């Protein structure tokens, strides 16, 4: 019969072994949790690409030549675009494919240069008018408002003026600059002067030979008028005049003063929006026609009636598709968490954390891991490699990290945990 001392020693061995097994399990679970968190990735489609790269509806053509066509714009069948206002025709009649906006009621159609999720770039003619003795007036009609923040009115010529005015009604062809009742208060213009010191070609648009001014909001039906305010011998330098709206970043506008061709094209940017209703509040009353998909929000247009959709913070993609806004894996972006900090992606956000033996410090500029004074790193490492083997029943037991196994005849061997 074993003595009381032997029983006590066996009980000590058993309790010690149980405690070590508990520590080893704790360390192994912590290590696996960190590994799983750091491996989080953005959802992918079955073809292996990010879901956020999808821009068109399923089964619809996404490109015309090198122009991407995101929904609500589209080609093919009526299911591919929201309504006829957003229909794009891919024309192959003159060589390489050209994307064209659906014709307007008056027959005008424009070549598309780029479609973004809040504006569309198109090609427009910069008309040339020569021997102007009084004024000229050209009426334009575009499907979406001219961007008042991204375009400018440019006037080229000697001692001429140019004005852009919004029209209230284009139905009557007699509505011209001399019919004041057809114009509203949205009008901007500038004067381009010349004298014998005016350089040619122009180095910049300073008001001599060229002038620029801002564009009013809400221009869809508008008129551009030009005329001379003075005649002298300097006019022979620039006998013609051009006045046009153009992308303010376009570098070739001033050079058109030297061009004698009337078919010069320039880029213009339109601010498009969902214009079925005027406000987000109205749009959200009827969810069946509401254009914004999941993980997005509504933003009212700043240039004309209607609203736009934007992906919520932490998401990216096409907000006009039902599942177009997909989670961004912020951990793939540089400097989200420092090199020694563990970055874990979450839906719409991310977390920074540290290994079990360290704690996270955060300040205004960076976050970093520093040793946790309450936990010993060496002890954490020993917990992961622990092998508990009792080699003699008379001792309390020994622990080895080498992985070597020993046989024991002891009847009170402690529990042993071997991590996978």
């Amino acid at each position: 019969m074993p003595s009381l001392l032997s029983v006590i020693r066996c009980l000590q061995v058993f309790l010690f072994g149980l405690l070590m097994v508990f520590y080893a399990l704790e360390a192994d679970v912590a290590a696996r949790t960190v590994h799983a968190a750091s491996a989080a990735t953005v959802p992918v489609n079955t073809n292996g690409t990010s879901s956020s790269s999808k821009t068109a509806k399923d089964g619809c053509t996404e490109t015309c030549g090198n122009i991407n066509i995101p929904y609500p714009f589209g080609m093919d069948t009526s299911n591919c675009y929201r309504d006829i206002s957003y229909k794009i025709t891919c024309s192959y009649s003159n060589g390489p494919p050209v994307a064209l906006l659906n014709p307007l009621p008056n027959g005008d159609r424009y070549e598309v240069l780029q479609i973004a999720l809040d504006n569309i770039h198109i090609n427009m003619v910069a008309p040339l008018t020569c021997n102007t003795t009084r004024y000229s007036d050209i009426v334009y009609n575009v499907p979406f408002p001219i961007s008042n923040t991204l375009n400018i009115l440019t006037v080229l010529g000697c001692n001429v003026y140019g004005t852009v005015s919004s029209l209230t009604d284009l139905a009557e062809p007699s509505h011209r600059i001399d019919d004041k009742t057809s114009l509203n208060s949205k009008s901007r213009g500038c004067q381009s002067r010349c004298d014998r010191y005016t350089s040619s070609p122009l180095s910049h648009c300073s008001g001599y030979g060229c002038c620029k001014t801002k564009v009013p909001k809400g221009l869809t039906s508008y008129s551009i008028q030009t005329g001379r305010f003075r005649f002298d011998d300097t006019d022979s330098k620039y006998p013609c005049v051009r006045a046009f709206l153009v992308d303010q970043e376009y570098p070739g506008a001033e050079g058109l003063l030297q061009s004698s061709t009337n078919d010069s094209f320039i880029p213009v940017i339109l601010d498009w929006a969902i214009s079925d209703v005027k406000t987000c509040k109205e749009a959200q009353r009827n969810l069946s026609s509401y254009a914004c998909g999941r993980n997005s929000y509504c933003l009212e247009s700043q240039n004309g009636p209607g609203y736009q959709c934007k992906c919520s913070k932490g998401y990216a993609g096409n907000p006009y598709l039902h599942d177009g806004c997909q989670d961004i894996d912020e951990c793939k972006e540089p400097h989200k968490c420092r090199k020694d900090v563990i970055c874990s992606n979450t839906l719409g956000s991310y977390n920074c954390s540290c290994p079990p033996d360290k704690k996270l410090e955060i300040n205004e500029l960076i976050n970093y891991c520093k040793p946790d004074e309450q936990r010993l790193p060496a002890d954490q490492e020993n917990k992961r490699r622990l092998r508990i083997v009792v080699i003699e029943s008379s001792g309390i037991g020994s622990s080895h990290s080498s992985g070597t196994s020993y046989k024991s005849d002891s009847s009170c061997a402690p529990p042993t945990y071997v991590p996978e």
Side-chain angles (χ1 to χ4, degrees):
M1 181 175 178
S3 66
L4 181 60
L5 182 60
S6 297
V7 172
I8 292 174
R9 285 181 176 177
C10 281
L11 185 60
Q12 287 176 327
V13 169
F14 180 81
L15 292 176
F16 176 79
L18 192 63
L19 183 62
M20 292 300 100
V21 168
F22 173 77
Y23 282 154
L25 279 169
E26 181 190 32
D28 192 40
V29 169
R32 296 187 187 203
T33 302
V34 167
H35 175 75
S38 62
T41 56
V42 69
V44 296
N45 291 326
T46 54
N47 61 5
T49 61
S50 169
S51 300
S52 62
S53 64
K54 182 177 176 57
T55 59
K57 274 190 169 183
D58 290 336
C60 299
T61 306
E62 285 192 320
T63 60
C64 174
N66 61 352
I67 307 299
N68 187 56
I69 314 296
Y71 187 80
F73 293 89
M75 302 178 287
D76 307 323
T77 65
S78 59
N79 179 60
C80 293
Y81 47 87
R82 182 174 173 87
D83 60 50
I84 201 68
S85 304
Y86 306 92
K87 182 180 179 181
I88 300 293
T89 301
C90 197
S91 173
Y92 296 84
S93 59
N94 296 316
V98 175
L100 300 172
L101 275 173
N102 193 52
L104 296 169
N106 63 355
D108 290 343
R109 63 191 312 168
Y110 298 99
E111 178 187 357
V112 176
L113 303 176
Q114 180 187 5
I115 304 178
L117 290 176
D118 51 6
N119 55 57
I120 179 170
H121 298 228
I122 63 173
N123 247 345
M124 295 187 71
V125 174
L128 182 71
T129 305
C130 299
N131 301 319
T132 301
T133 57
R134 188 184 174 195
Y135 67 85
S136 67
D137 181 22
I138 302 177
V139 171
Y140 297 86
N141 197 9
V142 290
F144 304 105
I146 298 285
S147 175
N148 63 302
T149 58
L150 301 176
N151 299 293
I152 52 174
L153 171 67
T154 299
V155 180
L156 303 174
C158 267
N159 302 321
V160 296
Y161 66 86
T163 305
V164 58
S165 302
S166 178
L167 302 179
T168 57
D169 187 3
L170 288 178
E172 297 295 333
S174 61
H175 286 177
R176 302 299 185 187
I177 192 170
D178 53 343
D179 183 1
K180 300 300 183 182
T181 61
S182 67
L183 301 179
N184 63 21
S185 60
K186 296 179 179 178
S187 181
R188 294 285 179 87
C190 65
Q191 293 183 344
S192 174
R193 302 177 179 275
C194 280
D195 55 33
R196 58 197 179 106
Y197 301 108
T198 303
S199 60
S200 177
L202 300 170
S203 58
H204 58 281
C205 195
S206 61
Y208 285 88
C210 172
C211 69
K212 295 180 180 179
T213 190
K214 293 182 179 180
V215 177
K217 280 187 176 183
L219 294 182
T220 52
S221 299
Y222 63 95
S223 173
I224 294 182
Q225 308 89 29
T226 57
R228 292 194 182 277
F229 57 83
R230 191 181 71 193
F231 293 90
D232 57 34
D233 56 0
T234 59
D235 295 346
S236 60
K237 273 188 177 182
Y238 309 107
C240 303
V241 58
R242 288 187 194 270
F244 49 87
L245 304 181
V246 63
D247 175 2
Q248 62 185 6
E249 300 296 329
Y250 179 61
E254 289 90 338
L256 292 178
L257 185 60
Q258 306 300 319
S259 174
S260 59
T261 58
N262 193 41
D263 57 351
S264 299
F265 286 89
I266 40 90
V268 178
I269 303 175
L270 311 180
D271 290 333
W272 67 268
I274 305 298
S275 55
D276 319 16
V277 295
K278 294 182 178 180
T279 66
C280 289
K281 188 175 181 180
E282 290 180 64
Q284 291 164 344
R285 288 175 185 160
N286 187 355
L287 295 181
S288 63
S289 63
Y290 183 51
C292 302
R294 296 174 59 191
N295 301 317
S296 70
Y297 63 94
C298 182
L299 186 67
E300 290 178 8
S301 172
Q302 300 300 303
N303 188 16
Y307 66 96
Q308 296 176 327
C309 303
K310 304 290 182 182
C311 285
S312 301
K313 184 179 180 181
Y315 294 83
N318 186 346
Y320 297 93
L321 295 175
H322 183 263
D323 290 308
C325 292
Q326 292 289 316
D327 174 59
I328 298 171
D329 188 351
E330 290 89 352
C331 294
K332 292 183 178 180
E333 301 176 12
H335 311 304
K336 283 298 183 182
C337 297
R338 284 193 60 177
K339 186 177 180 180
D340 58 340
V341 178
I342 299 167
C343 183
S344 305
N345 185 51
T346 64
L347 287 178
S349 188
Y350 68 100
N351 293 320
C352 296
S353 60
C354 293
D357 58 343
K358 295 183 179 181
K359 63 180 181 179
L360 186 67
E361 291 291 324
I362 302 175
N363 60 34
E364 295 180 356
L365 299 177
I366 59 173
N367 45 47
Y368 61 95
C369 292
K370 76 173 189 178
D372 190 343
E373 297 177 357
Q374 297 179 354
R375 305 183 71 171
L376 296 177
D379 183 53
Q380 292 296 319
E381 184 64 23
N382 289 335
K383 289 177 185 178
R384 295 188 183 95
R385 299 182 178 182
L386 185 63
R387 302 290 188 273
I388 304 174
V389 180
V390 176
I391 58 176
E392 289 186 6
S393 61
S394 60
I396 194 170
S398 301
S399 64
H400 298 269
S401 59
S402 63
T404 305
S405 298
Y406 297 87
K407 292 184 178 180
S408 174
D409 294 330
S410 171
S411 60
C412 51
T416 303
Y417 172 71
V418 180
E420 294 180 0

